[in-house]
Amino acid sequence: MNTTELQSPALQKLKELGIPYNQRAANVIKNCYDWYSNNDVDGFHSRTNLNGVNVEVAQLGFAKRLCADNANLCEIVEVNAGESKSKFDGVLKLLRANKFSKMYRKQLEEMAATGTVGAYVRLEGAEIYDDGKVRGGDIKINYVSSNCIVPIRVENDEIIDCAFLGSGYLNGEQLTTLVVFRKHDDKYTAESYYFNADSELTDKATMLQLGEVKPFAIMRTAEVNNFDGMQGYGYPKLYTAIPFLKTIDLCYSVLFGDLDKGQKLLFINEIMASMQKDQNGNSYLTQEQKKLFILLGEKLPDQKELIYEYNPEIRTAQIKEVFNLCLSLLSLSFGYGSKKYQLESGEIKTATEYVGQRQDSMQELNKQRVESIDYITDLVHALIWFHNTFSGESEWSTDEEILVEFDDSYVTDKATELESWRNDALGFPDVLEFKIQYIMKRLNCEHEEAVKYLSTTTQDDNTDLED
């Protein structure tokens, strides 16, 4: 939901509740989101040239590419609870029911663009009794974009109290929601308010007493946010890349312009068209001739050719050089190092040599994965608390360690990794574990199976590896 879509009654309610809406943060976030969404930003892509003609600067959508590549670094393979995996199946079922894998991937991209994403847990269709107790209902996850997150209380860069805005439709009418989570005496309360386009629907407002577990989770970029007045928000990585995104689009526009005007032109002298004249006696070309020729006019004294051929230059080499410079600056500004992207053979290729190199993206990778683990852990704990509290069952525990396995295929060359294990096994023949690890990687088997294979072989270990 964009900031422009926020209904004024919802913003007015925030003011009544004493919760300021951070307009500066909203403006920064919107600017980044417009680039991520390929929107025309501040008239940059729609402009007037020197001749007063309206022209469009083509959008390559490279902001989306940056954020998608960044999301690949934190792609998850599995979430589980280690020893209690069987009991954790219920949590996984809730995550699947709320399309967590799909939405998490989407949020990773949005986070790279705008710096912050979030989610909160709610009950849908629950029964609220006269004594205030709540039972039943379906546990739902609401995923929230950064421009709809309103930090209320921030301590040590952690959001303690937070409000979330959302937008949907009920019976064909747009409905805006405002959910406010506050912590009092170590327990959270949830206040929910609903609005149509004109006013608050006071009869739908609710307040729910929750527990000690935080009912929401926030994920931010690991990079320190140096923007003034954006406490609680993550650093919008796309913001510093905007000047270079502009140069990329301008560079492509130059290439497009050269190609658009690159057709060979044949100018024909007036003397060649003298067989056809209009009512005023002026020579003209037929429609068939116009497909091939352009009428040049009277023959000039120094002009020897009756037909003049003009081949416009397409500045491929110069444009490629500038394009690669722009790509390097863009890559640096986004934290990827200077050689993440290269223009080769007419296409943009992504560098994949991550292993063993001090690339900027790898320096930030572990910190960003810690942010992802904290986000997933907070969200899972909230799901467990809601299930244990409102379903009448309490077989799930928030004390269990949440294990998150990430997909390293994007940053790891499998062949290089396997070769490294092989070299270790050959170089240290007395270290049995190196051989076991190599067999595990080579055969894609578990530790016990690799040990069994190693113990039953009758050939020399080093010879096996050499073969």
Side-chain angles (χ1 to χ4, degrees):
M1 183 168 101
N2 295 326
T3 309
T4 54
E5 295 175 344
L6 297 178
Q7 299 296 324
S8 56
L11 296 180
Q12 182 62 35
K13 189 65 179 184
L14 280 174
K15 187 175 181 180
E16 291 177 11
L17 296 172
I19 303 172
Y21 184 76
N22 193 332
Q23 193 60 52
R24 168 175 165 71
N27 292 338
V28 172
I29 290 168
K30 184 180 185 305
N31 196 11
C32 294
Y33 192 81
D34 281 342
W35 277 96
Y36 172 72
S37 303
N38 290 337
N39 295 330
D40 184 15
V41 185
D42 298 329
F44 174 78
H45 295 96
S46 299
R47 53 178 58 200
T48 304
N49 67 9
L50 296 176
N51 294 324
V53 178
N54 293 329
V55 295
E56 294 288 333
V57 176
Q59 290 179 275
L60 284 181
F62 220 89
K64 174 68 168 64
R65 172 71 176 270
L66 286 173
C67 297
D69 284 346
N70 190 83
N72 288 331
L73 300 175
C74 284
E75 190 73 77
I76 59 174
V77 175
E78 185 181 11
V79 179
N80 61 62
E83 297 298 328
S84 301
K85 186 174 181 179
S86 59
K87 293 184 179 180
F88 200 69
D89 286 342
V91 178
L92 296 179
K93 185 177 179 181
L94 279 177
L95 291 174
R96 286 192 295 268
N98 285 278
K99 300 180 180 179
F100 174 74
S101 295
K102 178 181 178 180
M103 296 304 298
Y104 171 76
R105 168 69 198 205
K106 179 181 178 182
Q107 287 197 307
L108 283 177
E109 288 195 21
E110 288 190 7
M111 179 188 66
T114 62
T116 314
V117 291
Y120 65 89
V121 181
R122 63 181 178 86
L123 282 178
E124 184 178 89
E127 294 184 43
I128 303 177
Y129 298 96
D130 294 337
D131 58 0
K133 293 183 178 180
V134 180
R135 284 292 180 270
D138 296 323
I139 299 175
K140 298 291 185 180
I141 301 175
N142 272 30
Y143 303 94
V144 190
S145 300
S146 54
N147 58 325
C148 297
I149 298 173
V150 185
I152 301 173
R153 178 159 60 107
V154 182
E155 297 178 0
N156 296 325
D157 209 30
E158 179 187 1
I159 299 177
I160 306 298
D161 299 340
C162 191
F164 297 92
L165 290 153
S167 182
Y169 286 86
L170 180 64
N171 298 325
E173 182 182 21
Q174 186 173 10
L175 188 69
T176 301
T177 60
L178 169 62
V179 182
V180 181
F181 295 104
R182 299 180 192 265
K183 192 175 185 180
H184 303 284
D185 300 327
D186 293 331
K187 290 190 177 183
Y188 276 94
T189 58
E191 306 167 46
S192 300
Y193 306 93
Y194 302 86
F195 312 85
N196 58 23
D198 304 314
S199 60
E200 179 183 354
L201 306 176
T202 55
D203 59 319
K204 294 179 66 66
T206 60
M207 176 175 284
L208 186 64
Q209 180 65 52
L210 303 177
E212 299 85 357
V213 177
K214 184 189 294 185
F216 62 88
I218 301 294
M219 182 167 59
R220 297 171 291 196
T221 51
E223 195 167 341
V224 175
N225 191 352
N226 64 339
F227 282 90
D228 291 332
M230 287 190 68
Q231 287 75 18
Y233 292 99
Y235 180 75
K237 291 181 66 176
L238 207 57
Y239 191 83
T240 51
I242 288 175
F244 306 109
L245 290 170
K246 290 182 178 180
T247 62
I248 291 290
D249 285 354
L250 288 174
C251 191
Y252 177 74
S253 292
V254 173
L255 176 62
F256 182 84
D258 274 20
L259 293 173
D260 190 42
K261 302 177 184 67
Q263 185 177 0
K264 179 174 69 175
L265 301 177
L266 292 174
F267 295 93
I268 183 172
N269 199 274
E270 188 177 89
I271 192 173
M272 296 290 291
S274 59
M275 294 179 64
Q276 292 122 197
K277 296 183 181 296
D278 59 18
Q279 295 178 352
N280 298 320
N282 297 321
S283 301
Y284 70 92
L285 298 176
T286 65
Q287 290 297 324
E288 291 300 317
Q289 289 173 323
K290 286 180 180 180
K291 294 178 182 179
L292 301 175
F293 302 109
I294 297 175
L295 193 61
L296 183 62
E298 294 182 2
K299 181 179 180 182
L300 300 177
D302 59 345
Q303 216 174 7
K304 296 181 180 180
E305 297 88 356
L306 295 177
I307 298 178
Y308 173 67
E309 181 179 300
Y310 174 66
N311 294 288
E313 178 186 4
I314 299 177
R315 297 161 292 176
T316 307
Q318 298 95 319
I319 292 173
K320 180 181 178 181
E321 183 178 351
V322 175
F323 223 125
N324 276 327
L325 173 62
C326 294
L327 287 172
S328 293
L329 292 172
L330 178 65
S331 182
L332 277 170
S333 70
F334 205 72
Y336 281 153
S338 60
K339 295 184 178 181
K340 169 73 173 177
Y341 304 107
Q342 292 287 317
L343 183 63
E344 297 179 8
S345 302
E347 61 180 353
I348 296 173
K349 295 185 177 181
T350 303
T352 57
E353 53 276 3
Y354 288 95
V355 179
Q357 298 187 15
R358 276 180 55 85
Q359 295 228 4
D360 293 348
S361 58
M362 291 304 297
Q363 295 177 30
E364 295 294 321
L365 176 57
N366 288 334
K367 290 189 292 184
Q368 191 58 62
R369 286 186 171 182
V370 169
E371 285 279 344
S372 293
I373 292 172
D374 290 344
Y375 174 68
I376 294 170
T377 300
D378 287 346
L379 188 57
V380 167
H381 283 165
L383 288 172
I384 291 174
W385 187 90
F386 267 73
H387 174 269
N388 291 347
T389 304
F390 299 115
S391 71
E393 303 174 0
S394 58
E395 73 273 17
W396 303 346
S397 173
T398 56
D399 295 331
E400 293 288 348
E401 181 184 6
I402 308 302
L403 304 179
V404 180
E405 182 182 349
F406 292 95
D407 182 4
D408 287 328
S409 61
Y410 186 76
V411 295
T412 303
D413 183 348
K414 296 296 185 182
T416 302
E417 184 183 22
L418 184 63
E419 183 66 19
S420 176
W421 280 109
R422 178 179 179 275
N423 291 336
D424 286 340
L426 288 172
F428 302 93
D430 296 332
V431 182
L432 188 61
E433 186 61 28
F434 282 148
K435 297 179 181 179
I436 295 173
Q437 290 295 327
Y438 171 75
I439 294 172
M440 290 173 60
K441 302 289 183 182
R442 182 69 177 83
L443 301 180
N444 193 27
C445 63
E446 297 296 330
H447 191 277
E448 294 79 4
E449 188 177 349
V451 172
K452 182 179 179 181
Y453 174 84
L454 192 62
S455 63
T456 56
T457 182
T458 57
Q459 298 179 359
D460 180 74
D461 293 334
N462 286 351
T463 303
D464 283 342
L465 297 177
E466 293 284 0
D467 292 342

